[in-house]
Amino acid sequence: ESIPMQTLQCYNDYISLTTCTWMECSEAHQFVNVTLNFNNCCEKNKEMACRFHKGENHADCQNSTMHWVCDIHGYDQRIYNFKFDLTLHAELNVSMFQNVQTLPPQNLSIILMKSGDFLLTWKAADGSQGLGNALEYEVTYKQEWESWEKAASLLLSNTTRCHLSHEDLVPGSSYVARVRARPGQASGFSGQYSEWSTEVSWETTEGGLQPRNLRCLFNGADRLMCSWEVKKEIITSVIFGLFFRATPASVEEECSPVHEKALPHIPYVVQSCEIPVSNPGSQSQYHVSVRANTEEKLIEAYKNSEFL
Amino acid sequence: ESIPMQTLQCYNDYISLTTCTWMECSEAHQFVNVTLNFNNCCEKNKEMACRFHKGENHADCQNSTMHWVCDIHGYDQRIYNFKFDLTLHAELNVSMFQNVQTLPPQNLSIILMKSGDFLLTWKAADGSQGLGNALEYEVTYKQEWESWEKAASLLLSNTTRCHLSHEDLVPGSSYVARVRARPGQASGFSGQYSEWSTEVSWETTEGGLQPRNLRCLFNGADRLMCSWEVKKEIITSVIFGLFFRATPASVEEECSPVHEKALPHIPYVVQSCEIPVSNPGSQSQYHVSVRANTEEKLIEAYKNSEFL
């Protein structure tokens, strides 16, 4: 109920005059002019003349409150309403199956298979099973510490499961996945993605000390950026180097400098190095390898003599 | 340089004995055994026998520091190195054009056109122009207060501009857009999305008092959820209702209840209502309209008399 209608009160003097009072928030009055009208046996939509005075503030008004007092001759039973000086409306034709948004998929769960791979399963939300195979799903997953924006994303049709190979997952890590649904492109239906499902998380098995998650990305022009992850505890003793060959026949070169970034909450650091690339052909294939560097030092012991 | 190599010192007694000392962090020792070796004229990769003793902590060690003292006969010039008790390595073959990640698109800007529409333009990152038409772009845009997760997303090929119709934008709102690039599916190249470009923001022109952004989404089963936005200042005076017809011949019904949610930082509230739907055919089209509700009140003035 609007504030004018909430606050509308009418009374009379038993003789010939009916007086009505009502309120309006000043911030609304700034945009819309409201008028009080009545209908009775004989008159339809008759506007009452009102005069403004100041008064106490209504709790729901942000600024000041305008109080109105309106008089009219006669004191019979009346139906009152308020009218605005402009027509406020919007309309839309909605094709039901072109504007579908289902509830998020449910029962998302993860199973560790004998092979060491993981199987993610879910089902369509209650009520959206009617859409059956018309739904497609976006599955995203990431390491716990990564942002969803950089999560891997898979688009799947005609299935409510997703196989995640252990080769695509980093060992000894916490992962989290979620899924959402929308009408598939091929289904003839369309609409928006559902909200994301609840998340499911799991741990991959410990992978030992080997440098892990080695990957390289080419910037399209002149640099190949490689990164890998190393167990935090060993980096004080073991210095890793990145070595590369542009062709199998090339001499192996070492990349420099290697940068290092610690990640919060996980026992690994990310190391990276940029390999300069010149004139890559479309078939160019680099071989890269990460190894513990052998550091050597020449010490001429007789120069460091001391009497023990 | 590793801590063992940093801290390695050797000296001799001028007669027959060379003594070397070095340090190691205990957390690394837990995973990797490090041994000190030397090469000289006559011996190759000879391991030195070392004994452990306690000592001061090295600043780069997380826990305690292990100090080692190693002796060997002779005092000639030697090359020292450290060896580990396990081989640490990882390797990868990288096909350059199957692992592309360019820099983000640059110079993103927005132009207001005479028609009232907006044109978003950008260019490929320096260095990635070589990929030319192989790149496709994802443009996302949203109202300032919305989350990127719910932003509208457009996938574009063979262009570095995007036309945003004013009909798809909410009047009187602040918008923000960003774009990222990846090798197109059809290009024969593949890889990952670039990082997002810097953001560009703009304001759409004020849209007056009309309820705006009316949209309806069907849950695929039994409900059509409609929402719209109303200027915050007028909601104390104007009560909006949602009216609908299932077919052009149906009687118009009113949806109830209407829910209301305020949005921080913008002068609008979101109102919404759920229309129950039974047995929607695939061609079902609802007509919905939002209008100011006419509230009426019957007041029998003589019952409210008072002596003025």
Side-chain angles (χ1 to χ4, degrees):
Chain A
E1 207 176 25
S2 67
I3 289 180
M5 192 53 91
Q6 260 177 51
T7 56
L8 176 64
Q9 289 185 318
C10 296
Y11 47 88
N12 67 30
D13 63 358
Y14 275 116
I15 306 172
S16 63
L17 196 70
T18 299
T19 302
C20 294
T21 62
W22 53 280
M23 302 178 199
E24 181 188 25
C25 298
S26 61
E27 68 267 18
H29 183 77
Q30 200 186 321
F31 292 103
V32 187
N33 281 316
V34 178
T35 50
L36 178 61
N37 295 266
F38 68 86
N39 293 279
N40 64 2
C41 63
C42 322
E43 291 172 295
K44 295 287 168 220
N45 283 322
K46 178 129 172 92
E47 184 178 331
M48 288 173 74
C50 303
R51 59 189 186 279
F52 159 75
H53 69 95
K54 287 189 179 167
E56 261 179 47
N57 201 31
H58 188 284
D60 292 347
C61 291
Q62 284 167 41
N63 301 323
S64 58
T65 304
M66 307 179 76
H67 293 245
W68 295 96
V69 181
C70 324
D71 294 321
I72 198 84
H73 288 286
Y75 57 99
D76 48 354
Q77 170 181 306
R78 289 186 179 121
I79 295 171
Y80 294 89
N81 66 50
F82 290 95
K83 291 215 180 312
F84 313 114
D85 64 342
L86 74 181
T87 309
L88 296 168
H89 75 113
E91 51 192 326
L92 192 65
N93 282 313
V94 187
S95 295
M96 306 294 275
F97 286 97
Q98 303 310 308
N99 293 277
V100 173
Q101 185 185 42
T102 69
L103 287 172
Q106 54 196 29
N107 297 7
L108 181 64
S109 61
I110 188 99
I111 302 162
L112 171 60
M113 298 192 293
K114 274 186 193 159
S115 60
D117 294 348
F118 290 87
L119 186 67
L120 205 57
T121 64
W122 62 91
K123 64 194 210 65
D126 288 336
S128 64
Q129 288 95 345
L131 293 167
N133 286 332
L135 292 178
E136 67 182 20
Y137 297 96
E138 184 186 8
V139 172
T140 63
Y141 65 94
K142 64 175 184 78
Q143 291 189 55
E144 201 96 51
W145 58 269
E146 291 175 312
S147 78
W148 280 116
E149 260 188 28
K150 297 202 175 175
S153 164
L154 302 165
L155 206 58
L156 304 165
S157 306
N158 291 322
T159 183
T160 56
R161 49 176 58 202
C162 172
H163 183 265
L164 299 173
S165 167
H166 71 277
E167 287 175 13
D168 297 332
L169 301 174
V170 173
S173 291
S174 296
Y175 273 86
V176 56
R178 58 185 190 177
V179 58
R180 59 182 181 175
R182 72 171 174 194
Q185 314 286 6
S187 68
F189 302 149
S190 62
Q192 291 192 3
Y193 270 119
S194 70
E195 301 279 321
W196 288 104
S197 69
T198 53
E199 296 172 8
V200 67
S201 58
W202 72 96
E203 309 276 325
T204 53
T205 45
E206 190 56 56
L209 286 179
Q210 297 300 334
R212 62 183 205 178
N213 209 17
L214 171 60
R215 40 186 173 179
C216 298
L217 289 164
F218 175 50
N219 75 345
D222 56 4
R223 289 180 298 111
L224 183 65
M225 166 64 92
C226 296
S227 66
W228 63 93
E229 295 170 19
V230 172
K231 214 169 174 63
K232 216 172 245 172
E233 286 89 344
I234 66 170
I235 57 171
T236 51
S237 286
V238 188
I239 305 298
F240 285 94
L242 178 73
F243 301 87
F244 63 93
R245 287 182 214 272
T247 67
S250 311
V251 178
E252 192 178 61
E253 294 179 70
E254 184 173 356
C255 181
S256 161
V258 171
H259 295 283
E260 192 171 285
K261 195 173 73 180
L263 299 171
H265 312 305
I266 71 154
Y268 287 83
V269 296
V270 177
Q271 299 184 332
S272 61
C273 193
E274 246 178 51
I275 301 172
V277 170
S278 49
N279 299 321
S282 64
Q283 299 304 314
S284 279
Q285 204 180 48
Y286 270 55
H287 180 265
V288 298
S289 101
V290 169
R291 296 196 297 270
N293 242 331
T294 307
E295 300 171 290
E296 284 188 332
K297 200 183 246 176
L298 173 68
I299 300 181
E300 300 173 52
Y302 55 83
K303 291 194 177 157
N304 294 292
S305 310
E306 60 181 57
F307 293 104
L308 293 173
Chain B
E1 205 175 24
S2 66
I3 289 181
M5 193 54 91
Q6 260 178 49
T7 57
L8 177 63
Q9 289 184 319
C10 296
Y11 45 89
N12 67 31
D13 62 359
Y14 275 115
I15 304 169
S16 63
L17 196 70
T18 300
T19 302
C20 295
T21 62
W22 54 281
M23 301 179 201
E24 181 187 25
C25 297
S26 62
E27 67 268 19
H29 183 77
Q30 203 186 322
F31 292 103
V32 187
N33 281 317
V34 178
T35 50
L36 177 61
N37 296 264
F38 69 86
N39 294 276
N40 64 4
C41 62
C42 323
E43 291 172 296
K44 295 288 167 220
N45 283 320
K46 178 130 173 90
E47 184 178 333
M48 287 172 76
C50 302
R51 59 190 186 278
F52 159 75
H53 69 95
K54 284 188 179 164
E56 262 179 48
N57 202 31
H58 189 285
D60 292 347
C61 290
Q62 283 166 42
N63 302 322
S64 57
T65 304
M66 304 176 79
H67 293 244
W68 295 94
V69 181
C70 323
D71 294 321
I72 198 85
H73 289 287
Y75 59 98
D76 49 351
Q77 170 179 306
R78 290 185 178 121
I79 295 170
Y80 294 89
N81 65 52
F82 290 96
K83 291 215 179 314
F84 313 114
D85 64 341
L86 75 180
T87 310
L88 297 168
H89 75 113
E91 51 192 325
L92 192 65
N93 282 311
V94 187
S95 295
M96 307 294 276
F97 286 98
Q98 302 311 308
N99 292 278
V100 173
Q101 185 185 40
T102 68
L103 287 172
Q106 54 196 28
N107 297 7
L108 181 64
S109 60
I110 189 98
I111 302 161
L112 171 59
M113 299 190 293
K114 274 187 192 159
S115 59
D117 294 349
F118 290 87
L119 186 67
L120 204 57
T121 64
W122 61 90
K123 64 192 209 66
D126 287 336
S128 64
Q129 288 95 343
L131 292 167
N133 286 333
L135 291 178
E136 66 181 21
Y137 297 96
E138 184 185 7
V139 171
T140 62
Y141 65 94
K142 62 174 186 82
Q143 290 189 57
E144 201 94 52
W145 58 270
E146 291 174 314
S147 78
W148 280 115
E149 260 188 27
K150 297 200 175 178
S153 163
L154 302 166
L155 207 57
L156 304 165
S157 306
N158 292 322
T159 182
T160 56
R161 49 177 57 203
C162 172
H163 182 266
L164 299 172
S165 166
H166 70 277
E167 286 176 12
D168 297 332
L169 301 174
V170 172
S173 290
S174 295
Y175 273 86
V176 56
R178 58 183 190 176
V179 59
R180 59 181 180 174
R182 71 169 173 193
Q185 314 285 3
S187 67
F189 302 149
S190 63
Q192 291 192 3
Y193 270 119
S194 70
E195 300 280 321
W196 288 104
S197 69
T198 53
E199 295 172 8
V200 67
S201 58
W202 72 97
E203 309 275 327
T204 53
T205 45
E206 190 56 56
L209 286 179
Q210 296 301 335
R212 65 181 203 179
N213 207 19
L214 171 59
R215 43 186 171 178
C216 298
L217 290 165
F218 176 49
N219 75 346
D222 56 4
R223 290 180 298 112
L224 183 65
M225 167 64 92
C226 296
S227 65
W228 62 94
E229 296 170 20
V230 173
K231 215 171 172 62
K232 216 171 244 171
E233 286 88 345
I234 66 170
I235 58 172
T236 52
S237 284
V238 188
I239 305 297
F240 286 93
L242 177 74
F243 302 86
F244 64 94
R245 287 182 214 273
T247 67
S250 313
V251 178
E252 192 177 62
E253 295 178 70
E254 182 173 357
C255 181
S256 161
V258 171
H259 295 283
E260 193 170 284
K261 195 173 73 180
L263 298 173
H265 312 304
I266 70 156
Y268 287 83
V269 295
V270 177
Q271 299 183 332
S272 61
C273 192
E274 246 178 50
I275 301 172
V277 170
S278 48
N279 299 322
S282 63
Q283 301 303 314
S284 279
Q285 205 182 50
Y286 271 55
H287 179 264
V288 298
S289 100
V290 169
R291 296 197 296 272
N293 241 332
T294 307
E295 301 171 290
E296 285 189 332
K297 200 183 246 177
L298 173 68
I299 300 182
E300 299 175 52
Y302 53 83
K303 290 193 176 158
N304 293 295
S305 310
E306 58 180 59
F307 291 105
L308 293 174

